[in-house]
Amino acid sequence: MTNFFSMPYLPGHLEDEFIVQSSRNSLPPIYSQFFVPRMEEKPQNPIMDTLKRYRPPSFAHLPPEIIEMTQDLVDPAIHIPKVESIDSIWAEALTRKTGVRSQVLSWDNLHPMKSKAVSSTPFLSEQNSNVFASVRHHLQPRLHDPNTDVLHITPHVLWQNLKVTICGASSQLHTWDTRTERFVQVGLKDGRKGRILVDGKDGTISSSVLRPFLRIGNMVRRLETLLTVLRSRAAKEGPTIHAFAHALSTTLTFLRDSLTCSPLAQASNVDILSTKFTTHYVRYDNILVSLADMCGVGDDRQPSSYQVLESQPQPLLSRIYDHLHMHIERQSDKSVVAVIAYLLTNTSHEYFVHVSRSVGFGGHPLPKATHVVGENPNLYEEDEVKQDNIFDLIESAEEDQFPSFFPENLIEALPAARKSLILLRAAQPDHELLITHLEQKDIRWFWEEEEIMNEQAQQPSSSVVIPRQVAEEDRSGDDNPFAQFKVFDLEPGVHIGTSCFDHAFTASSTDHLQAFIDAFPSKLPLITPTLSHLTDLVFRPLLTHAAMLSSALISLFLSPSTHLNLHAHMALLQSYLLFSSPDFKARINVALFSDHEDTDYDEQTRNPLSLYALRRRRAREQDPNTVWAVGLAASLLDRDAWPPVGADLSFFLRTVIVDTFEAAVGNKMDGQAKQGASEDLDSRLGFAIRDLPVGRGRDRWLSPLSIEALDFLYMDYKPPHPLEVLITPEILAKYQRIFTFLLRLTRVENAIAAVHRMTRPSDTTVFPTLSPSRTLLLHLKFITQSLVSSLSQYTFVTAIGGNFDVFLLRLSLTAPPLLWDSRPSGFTDVFELAKAHSELLDDILSACLMRSTQRAASDMLRDVLQLVLDFAVLVGRLKRQQLEEYEAAPLLESLYWKFRLKMAELVKTLRAMVDKNGRTSYIRRPPGGTEALSHLLTRWDISDWWISPPQRRDGQVDL
């Protein structure tokens, strides 16, 4: 195929015609639209050719007016030297100006938009702004939007308006939109958009210039709106939120003054695109953006999604601290960190003072919420009124949250210190910590390295106690009308140096902020490299004071020289409620129990000829079929009604307490002191009657034959104020549960002792003819007596004595420094002591199978004791001939089998509990709770005798 699209033949001479030869004449000739001149047969130098063709322009043929108008383009005074050599060509090319190529005289040539001067850089971005804007507009033309209003302004007009906008005020270009809370272009209607174009700048550059300044104005206006809301809040929301509002207002005022009064802002003609100009406002942009984000009104949020600023000090301070910690970790600009640190310092001051005063730290302690009734601790009625108040105050001290940045050990120590302060005021109002004040500064934030080093160098216990010279006046200041004039009693010149004309008083808040920012370090010192380390150092004095306050209170409660000595009160509770006093146990046995089969024995030992004893004997003679409640004192069965509530019982029980106390005191006190102590004991310790239960268990309380017959009786103890925090009602309830269990155990002991009396070898009234039944009775008597004796020794020696005595040793002055498990034997505060006291009683209850989690084993033990009591009652009926031998024999055998099966079940349960605990130790330690059950198993069933039941042979029991 013919290649007719190839380049046509060109003759060598330009004057010739272009001819296209073709073998076919069917197509018309195609002429070229351009021509390429033939190169000459010699080396070509286009640069030199161009320079040779250049001739300086001549203006001789132009009118003078035209020459004057074109003077700025081509200056005739500039002389272009003649090219002397090739080396000077490049130097000339850098300095010469290009001439006008076109000879057409027009206004475009006279005033061209492009300068004819040679550029020193090849980059468009470094060219003149007009050139760069023209190129961008040519390459990226802006699409026309009919809904967008475009406003063209000069840089000078833009800057004059932006100086107003960045202060949060409307200008000629922008106005505040309350719906979106942003500055929008003026004059926009019906949802139209606006665009501002700066002369010499395209749309992208104009938007980039405007954006940071509009953001600064938006943040200032949004924060001012937030301030208006904060200032409108009620005063009851606390001083912290108002302190934050004041600090934020000071910060905004400082930023506004800096924006309007800086030399750059006051200049009338500035280059908005210059680096100096833009970097000057980056600092303010960063500060305002960080403040707005912290307050929940950031630039990326709409008004509907603003975060609500908390009024409570704890979450508010936590919010500020978290943002400060974030900027420190991010290594933000120093001004940003300093401003947030200033807000935290000023906002937290009132809250820190409140927390410090709540534990009596720094300055004078806070006024007492209620007056203390502790001066007369012997009055039972006043203590009863005061008890609810002290517990309410302690409960209110516990109901408090702390900011998230408080150290963990301080969070644990502050509630205990608050309660310790309340108790210390109630226990000893004239204590040294209450009538003296500590020469300590208030807790505050410090940021300068010098302050941090000085605080680190101080010892935690460097507080100096200075007696207050006007302590008496301070204590009676509420009632003394002249207390407000005590300042005039001071020595002359005491306050010299603190004049109201000093700079500290006359300087404005913005001056303080400026000084704070200037003194703020660029980074934390090495001694406190992180904010958490600095926080620990700031709160260290408060933590030390809290520990000192708790230590003072616990020392007061453990001091043997005070009436609040916990050791003495617990020893009293052990003697009475836990039966550790031999005198009390003997007297309570006489008053409530009896192991004698003669019902007139008790009355004969008291006064056998009294009318009371004769009346009781006549009453019993009228009803010979009454079942004998074995183990109970005959005096409790007079009225034929149970429980035996009456004046006689109250008198006997009161006599038990008084006689025991007098026997214990003896000649250790004189008459007056002994009488006072007796009256105090009489008002604090006594027997009381419980209300009868409703529903299940009521019948057992109403039957003297039941093991729960004496459950209606308990001992109550009223500790002196404010010792009730260590001997709480819950702790007393545990004592009373143990007391109830000991009453049951003592009743069974007396019942078994009565069985021994009724089955003497010389007495043949019980099964005189049925030898197998009598043998079974003696065997049952032996195993029950062994069981009850082992249980009694275990309860008093192991469960109670093994735990309680060790705890009392920890409260004494001779306590060892460490416990058996290498823990300190002391207590950090009274509440840890109260907790340990409660855990002690829990261990005793667990060892006695009386915890709610041991209900199954507890019911088994109760059934075993009930069977032992039923056995004693059966023997008593035989003794009184209320049953015949043939009637009692099957009852005895049935009772024996129930007892053996129940004991086997109880022993298996105890072994499972011991194996589940699985802790065996050869270290000398208290027996504890469930761990002590192994001692009981050792006493009861060391050879697995209870688990292997007996066999029946020929209708008889194989013993």
Side-chain angles (χ1 to χ4, degrees), residues 194-205:
R195 180 185 292 270
I196 295 178
L197 295 181
V198 185
D199 291 347
K201 312 292 187 299
D202 63 350
T204 303
I205 296 178

Side-chain angles (χ1 to χ4, degrees), residues 82-142:
K82 184 179 180 181
V83 178
E84 298 293 341
S85 63
I86 299 299
D87 297 335
S88 62
I89 293 177
W90 303 110
E92 178 189 354
L94 293 175
T95 59
R96 71 176 178 84
K97 293 184 178 181
T98 59
V100 180
R101 294 178 180 273
S102 177
Q103 300 298 321
V104 178
L105 300 180
S106 65
W107 292 107
D108 292 338
N109 284 336
L110 294 178
H111 289 281
M113 297 301 295
K114 182 180 183 302
S115 176
K116 304 304 180 180
V118 177
S119 176
S120 61
T121 174
F123 300 103
L124 285 175
S125 59
E126 298 180 3
Q127 298 288 341
N128 184 277
S129 59
N130 294 331
V131 175
F132 188 57
S134 301
V135 173
R136 287 182 61 107
H137 180 74
H138 179 74
L139 296 178
Q140 297 178 352
R142 181 176 55 85

Side-chain angles (χ1 to χ4, degrees), residues 629 632 636-637 640-645 649 688-715 736-737 739-741 743-744 747 850 862 866 869:
L632 293 177
L636 302 179
L637 305 172
D640 294 332
W642 197 264
V645 179
L649 179 62
I689 304 297
R690 289 191 180 96
D691 296 332
L692 292 177
V694 178
R696 180 183 178 184
R698 181 182 178 88
D699 296 339
R700 297 175 182 175
W701 280 39
L702 298 177
S703 174
L705 303 180
S706 173
I707 192 66
E708 293 95 341
L710 291 176
D711 286 1
F712 70 92
L713 188 65
Y714 72 97
M715 289 193 74
Q736 291 162 3
R737 289 170 60 187
F739 178 78
T740 300
F741 174 77
L743 285 180
R744 295 180 183 180
R747 163 82 183 279
M850 298 190 65
R862 180 260 167 203
Q866 181 64 53
L869 186 60

Side-chain angles (χ1 to χ4, degrees), residues 691-906:
D691 296 332
L692 292 177
V694 178
R696 180 183 178 184
R698 181 182 178 88
D699 296 339
R700 297 175 182 175
W701 280 39
L702 298 177
S703 174
L705 303 180
S706 173
I707 192 66
E708 293 95 341
L710 291 176
D711 286 1
F712 70 92
L713 188 65
Y714 72 97
M715 289 193 74
D716 190 20
Y717 182 73
K718 181 67 177 178
H721 179 73
L723 198 62
E724 59 263 24
V725 297
L726 293 177
I727 307 177
T728 61
E730 292 78 11
I731 291 178
L732 279 177
K734 296 177 182 179
Y735 274 105
Q736 291 162 3
R737 289 170 60 187
I738 300 174
F739 178 78
T740 300
F741 174 77
L742 296 181
L743 285 180
R744 295 180 183 180
L745 184 59
T746 307
R747 163 82 183 279
V748 174
E749 285 183 318
N750 282 272
I752 291 298
V755 170
H756 276 274
R757 291 181 181 274
M758 290 183 290
T759 56
R760 297 189 188 97
S762 58
D763 192 348
T764 58
T765 57
V766 179
F767 291 116
T769 59
L770 296 179
S771 178
S773 297
R774 183 173 179 83
T775 302
L776 181 61
L777 183 145
L778 295 177
H779 174 70
L780 185 58
K781 180 186 71 171
F782 172 78
I783 61 176
T784 54
Q785 193 276 335
S786 175
L787 172 74
V788 173
S789 177
S790 300
L791 179 61
S792 178
Q793 292 179 4
Y794 162 79
T795 302
F796 287 103
V797 177
T798 303
I800 296 179
N803 291 301
F804 210 93
D805 293 341
V806 174
F807 189 82
L808 288 181
L809 180 61
R810 295 179 63 184
L811 302 181
S812 63
L813 298 178
T814 60
L818 297 177
L819 298 177
W820 57 272
D821 55 355
S822 300
R823 290 185 297 114
S825 61
F827 304 94
T828 57
D829 52 57
V830 294
F831 307 101
E832 182 183 355
L833 176 57
K835 181 181 179 181
H837 189 188
S838 179
E839 292 175 351
L840 165 69
L841 298 177
D842 290 339
D843 288 341
I844 296 177
L845 290 173
S846 298
C848 297
L849 300 177
M850 298 190 65
R851 297 293 299 275
S852 57
T853 56
Q854 301 171 324
R855 179 60 59 86
S858 178
D859 291 342
M860 294 178 191
L861 180 60
R862 180 260 167 203
D863 294 340
V864 167
L865 296 180
Q866 181 64 53
L867 290 173
V868 175
L869 186 60
D870 292 343
F871 167 65
V873 171
L874 178 62
V875 176
R877 295 180 65 183
L878 282 173
K879 178 67 177 179
R880 292 189 174 186
Q881 298 181 356
Q882 295 175 348
L883 283 177
E884 297 295 336
E885 288 184 281
Y886 67 90
E887 296 176 341
L891 296 177
L892 179 64
E893 184 176 354
S894 175
L895 189 65
Y896 174 79
W897 282 107
K898 289 181 181 179
F899 178 76
R900 287 298 303 271
L901 294 176
K902 185 62 67 175
M903 273 301 302
E905 185 179 0
L906 176 59

